[in-house]
Amino acid sequence: MRSSPLGLTVLSLLHMRPLHPYGIQRLIKQWGKDQVVNVSQRASLYRTIDRLLDAGLIAVRETSRDQQYPERTVYEVTDPGRTATREWLREMLAASRTEYPEFPAALSFAMMLLPREVEADLSARAGQVRAQLAELESAAEGARELSLPRVTMLEDEYRRAVLTAELDWLDAVTADLRSGALTWDFEALAALAQAST
């Protein structure tokens, strides 16, 4: 099985204790891991659990039935799962991979819009980034109050650094758009593209 952020998350949580899928999902949200791993659809969690099970990285520990809930299957990590977790972690930490997020893709075609539209949209994004930074600072303050070790919040520390850099860039580009230092004419760009084909 190939590594994936959600697979790594499930394996890591099962290192703590055996869990059923709802417990895994609840811990992901409680620990704020839903900010770095996409678990918005429960089906993706179940597909990941099925793949881990098929690969022998996790096993069924027990299946129980409670009158209030449907049948629950509790999973535990296997020895091969423990090995895979370490390998995936080391690989993900060490290897820089090209990722394809939406924002750079949209930036590459910003020329399709008017400069004032791009300025408005980037300003709106900057406002959202500021709000995310405030949330991260609040989470960091909460972690400090709980005396949580720094290692438990490294992903937030990283996100804060990335968002701070993004905000600096957004502020600089929107300032250039407002001042007219950054502008373009779509027709001229289209003519340039036509000439190069």
Side-chain angles (χ1 to χ4, degrees), residues 3-180:
S3 63
S4 72
L6 185 52
L8 176 66
T9 301
V10 171
L11 285 172
S12 297
L13 292 176
L14 290 178
H15 273 69
M16 308 294 172
R17 68 176 193 260
L19 293 163
H20 50 76
Y22 176 74
I24 293 169
Q25 190 172 32
R26 192 176 67 234
L27 271 180
I28 288 171
K29 290 185 188 235
Q30 282 177 346
W31 290 7
K33 304 306 182 193
D34 57 332
Q35 300 299 309
V36 292
V37 177
N38 186 2
V39 286
S40 58
Q41 297 179 351
R42 188 172 290 175
S44 63
L45 175 61
Y46 282 98
R47 279 193 303 274
T48 298
I49 288 171
D50 287 342
R51 285 197 299 272
L52 292 168
L53 191 59
D54 290 344
L57 302 180
I58 63 173
V60 174
R61 180 171 189 158
E62 66 183 30
T63 301
S64 62
R65 186 169 206 69
D66 186 322
Q67 290 179 316
Q68 292 181 316
Y69 303 103
E71 187 173 88
R72 288 191 175 182
T73 302
V74 175
Y75 298 94
E76 63 186 354
V77 67
T78 62
D79 286 338
R82 290 179 194 287
T83 301
T85 304
R86 291 183 54 76
E87 289 172 359
W88 291 3
L89 266 170
R90 306 268 333 260
E91 176 187 322
M92 289 179 183
L93 287 171
S96 176
R97 291 201 174 118
T98 302
E99 298 172 353
Y100 299 96
E102 287 180 3
F103 184 55
L107 284 173
S108 71
F109 293 103
M111 68 192 84
M112 305 292 292
L113 300 173
L114 297 171
R116 64 180 153 70
E117 292 173 314
V118 174
E119 189 272 325
D121 293 340
L122 293 182
S123 292
R125 184 182 183 96
Q128 292 171 11
V129 170
R130 281 185 177 83
Q132 289 175 313
L133 282 167
E135 287 174 19
L136 285 170
E137 186 50 45
S138 176
E141 183 58 36
R144 283 190 290 273
E145 288 173 8
L146 294 172
S147 300
L148 292 176
R150 181 178 174 202
V151 70
T152 65
M153 303 297 288
L154 284 178
E155 74 274 16
D156 283 354
E157 198 174 295
Y158 171 78
R159 286 180 53 228
R160 194 167 41 252
V162 170
L163 287 170
T164 299
E166 180 180 343
L167 185 58
D168 290 346
W169 182 84
L170 286 167
D171 287 344
V173 171
T174 53
D176 286 348
L177 285 162
R178 273 193 294 278
S179 72

